[in-house]
Amino acid sequence: MSHPHPELHKPPALPKGGLRVVALGGLGEIGRNMTVFEYDGKLLIVDCGVLFPEEHQPGVDVILPDFSWIRDRLDSIVGIVLTHGHEDHIGGVPYLLRERKDIPLIGSKLTLALITEKLKEHQIRPVRNEVAEGDRSTYGPFDLEFLAVNHSIPDGLAVAIRTPAGLVLATGDFKMDQFPLDKRITDLRGFARLGEEGVDLFMTDSTNAEVPGFTTSERDLAPAIEQVFRTAPRRVIVSSFASHVHRIQQVLDTAHAHGRKVSFVGRSMVRNMGVAKDLGYLKVPENLIVPLDQLERMAPNKATLICTGSQGEPLAALSRMASRDHKIRVGEGDTILMASSVIPGNENAISNVINGLTRWGANVVHKGNAKVHVSGHASAGELVYCYNIVKPRNVMPIHGEYRHLRANADLAISTGMDPKTVVLAEDGVVVDLVDGKVSVTGKVAAGNIYVDAQTVGGVTEATLKDRRTLAEEGVVTVLAIVDADSGALADPPDFLVRGFVHEKGAFDPATAVIERTLARAASEGIGDARQLEQMLARDVGRWAHKTFRRSPLIIPIVIDA
């Protein structure tokens, strides 16, 4: 098994007739999925998603893949295949299209409808190429064939990519639910047919590779959802991903059966469900959906709200209800149904929301205490099935943290694959398919690009470190008026302290530190205010750490008297 090597550097030129595969996101994290295929100077992109920030990334809205490796070759991109409509696969598209608006988007009807709605906010009208399972089309040197896959959103597609270098099969996110609500099952017959043709590189979803057995069917949630509606004394408030059409379909059907009306809450939920309903993917019983103000006037036991915020996102509807920052006031007797998974890293935020809602008297039903969620990803049993059906020549696990990728690689080897043909790559690692063999040949930039309001890439790891310091350690502004002639303090310094627990005058002893620093600077002939500020920040910071075992952000301001 070939592992990514930390000393890898810029890859050599791609050999003639070779196919280059570079994941710019999605390998080593859950989200930000984006893979670039290069053949004969042309680029095909599969997915372009975002990653949602964790607690240690304050002030960040979303995290993008790093486009710098392809930025000077935007004109060589023949298209972006979007396997399905989840944010971690389409959320980065607006930011890539800002750099070249006419890159064709290739995807199924629902996927293209969701990204088109999203792009309206960015004032971009995309070039759309709608495809469906069974379709085959050519973009530059890439011959693409699309296959149906089952996932937690309708209209998911796997893509087979044929080039003279060989045949690649990329699953996208998928599972093998045998009883899907829309009766659209993963096309294993198509997988087998491609296997007969000869799959040179199989790129398969790793998210659930550590989970033994088979993923439960979406249909098996019906009893638990029904029980919530049967026993809830007042309102039922359901939180879900804003694109989980199958789950929301079950909620609508159950609410209707129990004589309840439903309102959607939250911009993304209203937008996406409107799109799904208009296109016929969401079947809504007549007169079931009512405006929120009308619902609020109804008897509580006849009301159901469906909102966003199942991951504890601070600005999403459910989190705001938990913190009493939403016009919907959760109270005694309300039932909250959290019908979604936990994205790794969000456990604390979700726990805080559950505690907040419970504190207001709500009964919170979640995957930890009821069968109200099943995964959208294939478990180990399904992945092994696929390896045995496809019998690929080479395998590259995709979509997952490193442990998921490793578990998936081990599954491939357990079916008899030669470990030399299984490549474990991370973001930015360059994998070349040449003469039927895969090898790791280099690495390109693939760091996190932070979006902070309208700013893309302006926030850096250093910025985040400062923000964490501000949040955790506080900030101390030191105002020092310095005699221009002697370089000594003209007046005692002022200390403006924020977010730092302290007694009045706690920083007064730092005056001696400042005096020593200024004396040292004067003896070395340093009189530049900027240099003095850097020296004071360092010395006062060391003193604060030694004195308080804390490291507040020190902001010195030197004024010449």
Side-chain angles (χ1 to χ4, degrees):
M1 195 189 314
S2 55
H3 293 262
H5 211 270
E7 285 83 48
L8 289 171
H9 37 77
K10 192 176 170 191
L14 179 61
K16 191 166 172 54
L19 176 70
R20 179 157 285 174
V21 184
V22 181
L24 294 179
L27 270 57
E29 71 237 320
I30 305 282
R32 213 169 62 115
N33 299 289
M34 179 177 181
T35 310
V36 181
F37 296 85
E38 178 180 356
Y39 183 85
D40 195 22
K42 296 294 182 185
L43 304 178
L44 175 76
I45 295 171
V46 175
D47 291 325
C48 183
V50 293
L51 182 66
F52 292 101
E54 294 182 26
E55 289 172 332
H56 64 273
Q57 294 159 328
V60 172
D61 296 329
V62 292
I63 303 167
L64 296 175
D66 186 346
F67 302 144
S68 58
W69 180 60
I70 57 171
R71 189 160 276 126
D72 60 350
R73 295 191 292 164
L74 292 172
D75 290 340
S76 303
I77 301 170
V78 297
I80 305 172
V81 174
L82 300 172
T83 57
H84 64 281
H86 279 149
E87 283 294 300
D88 59 335
H89 291 256
I90 67 170
V93 169
Y95 301 94
L96 187 54
L97 292 191
R98 279 186 194 179
E99 306 200 22
R100 186 189 143 201
K101 282 190 168 57
D102 64 343
I103 303 173
L105 303 183
I106 307 154
S108 62
K109 180 184 288 187
L110 179 62
T111 305
L112 289 182
L114 291 172
I115 188 61
T116 300
E117 281 298 309
K118 191 175 187 60
L119 285 165
K120 282 180 183 172
E121 296 174 14
H122 296 259
Q123 282 89 46
I124 296 173
R125 293 183 63 177
V127 176
R128 299 161 34 125
N129 291 2
E130 188 182 310
V131 294
E133 55 263 34
D135 287 356
R136 205 164 158 175
S137 47
T138 303
Y139 293 84
F142 303 97
D143 173 3
L144 309 181
E145 181 180 350
F146 300 93
L147 298 92
V149 291
N150 171 247
H151 184 41
S152 54
I153 186 172
D155 245 9
L157 295 170
V159 59
I161 305 166
R162 292 178 176 88
T163 68
L167 168 58
V168 178
L169 175 56
T171 63
D173 284 356
F174 85 112
K175 59 178 174 175
M176 287 161 49
D177 190 341
Q178 300 305 303
F179 304 101
L181 295 175
D182 60 2
K183 303 191 167 49
R184 183 178 177 272
I185 62 172
T186 292
D187 186 6
L188 293 180
R189 295 176 72 188
F191 279 28
R193 175 175 50 77
L194 292 168
E196 290 294 324
E197 183 181 329
V199 172
D200 295 286
L201 180 60
F202 190 29
M203 301 173 67
T204 180
D205 179 7
S206 306
T207 309
N208 268 6
E210 289 185 308
V211 180
F214 286 68
T215 300
T216 310
S217 174
E218 187 77 33
R219 190 167 296 217
D220 290 351
L221 303 185
I225 294 173
E226 198 277 332
Q227 185 184 357
V228 166
F229 278 86
R230 183 162 34 82
T231 59
R234 284 172 53 87
R235 296 179 299 184
V236 176
I237 300 172
V238 181
S239 79
S240 167
F241 289 130
S243 51
H244 202 329
V245 178
H246 297 315
R247 192 74 43 84
I248 289 164
Q249 182 70 65
Q250 295 205 76
V251 170
L252 293 182
D253 292 343
T254 312
H256 184 58
H258 286 268
R260 288 174 177 264
K261 298 294 184 187
V262 176
S263 284
F264 291 121
V265 181
R267 197 165 50 115
S268 56
M269 182 66 75
V270 170
R271 181 185 69 198
N272 287 357
M273 290 309 114
V275 168
K277 179 175 178 285
D278 291 347
L279 296 178
Y281 291 92
L282 190 69
K283 310 279 192 297
V284 181
E286 206 169 335
N287 300 323
L288 178 69
I289 307 291
V290 298
L292 182 57
D293 56 353
Q294 184 181 329
L295 190 87
E296 288 178 316
R297 293 194 296 272
M298 294 174 60
N301 65 345
K302 295 295 178 191
T304 296
L305 298 125
I306 302 178
C307 68
T308 52
S310 55
Q311 295 302 309
E313 310 93 314
L315 296 177
L318 200 66
S319 303
R320 290 175 54 211
M321 289 177 206
S323 60
R324 276 288 194 261
D325 181 31
H326 199 284
K327 66 179 178 179
I328 295 163
R329 312 296 271 185
V330 171
E332 198 72 44
D334 285 336
T335 301
I336 314 290
L337 173 57
M338 297 180 75
S340 55
S341 62
V342 178
I343 292 175
N346 289 1
E347 295 86 353
N348 287 349
I350 294 170
S351 179
N352 290 340
V353 168
I354 292 173
N355 281 322
L357 294 165
T358 306
R359 186 164 167 254
W360 304 122
N363 172 34
V364 184
V365 180
H366 53 90
K367 69 173 284 191
N369 61 17
K371 195 170 180 180
V372 291
H373 170 72
V374 296
S375 175
H377 303 271
S379 297
E382 292 150 270
L383 294 171
V384 166
Y385 241 74
C386 288
Y387 290 129
N388 284 333
I389 288 170
V390 176
K391 294 203 179 306
R393 297 190 178 105
N394 302 279
V395 165
M396 178 177 164
I398 55 171
H399 303 347
E401 295 177 354
Y402 196 81
R403 63 197 176 100
H404 305 127
L405 303 176
R406 176 64 192 257
N408 198 354
D410 289 341
L411 291 176
I413 292 165
S414 74
T415 65
M417 289 200 66
D418 182 343
K420 291 195 197 68
T421 65
V422 180
V423 62
L424 263 177
E426 289 179 278
D427 292 345
V429 169
V430 178
V431 177
D432 288 346
L433 174 67
V434 180
D435 298 329
K437 293 188 173 61
V438 287
S439 58
V440 172
T441 59
K443 198 169 194 306
V444 301
N448 287 343
I449 302 298
Y450 299 107
V451 179
D452 180 348
Q454 294 302 304
T455 309
V456 178
V459 173
T460 62
E461 293 295 342
T463 316
L464 292 179
K465 187 179 176 192
D466 282 351
R467 286 181 180 178
R468 287 194 293 272
T469 302
L470 284 167
E472 296 160 13
E473 306 281 349
V475 58
V476 179
T477 304
V478 181
L479 183 61
I481 299 174
V482 176
D483 186 296
D485 297 327
S486 68
L489 283 170
D491 287 304
D494 284 328
F495 299 98
L496 307 172
V497 182
R498 289 284 180 276
F500 185 90
V501 178
H502 64 287
E503 300 292 326
K504 189 168 171 58
F507 271 80
D508 289 351
T511 302
V513 176
I514 294 169
E515 286 170 340
R516 283 198 298 274
T517 303
L518 292 175
R520 191 173 81 247
S523 70
E524 293 173 8
I526 298 169
D528 176 63
R530 190 181 173 84
Q531 280 182 280
L532 287 176
E533 285 169 358
Q534 287 175 336
M535 292 172 72
L536 288 171
R538 187 175 64 243
D539 292 354
V540 175
R542 279 180 186 153
W543 175 86
H545 185 75
K546 197 171 168 184
T547 308
F548 303 111
R549 288 287 176 266
R550 284 282 174 271
S551 301
L553 187 65
I554 308 292
I555 304 176
I557 300 172
V558 172
I559 299 171
D560 288 334

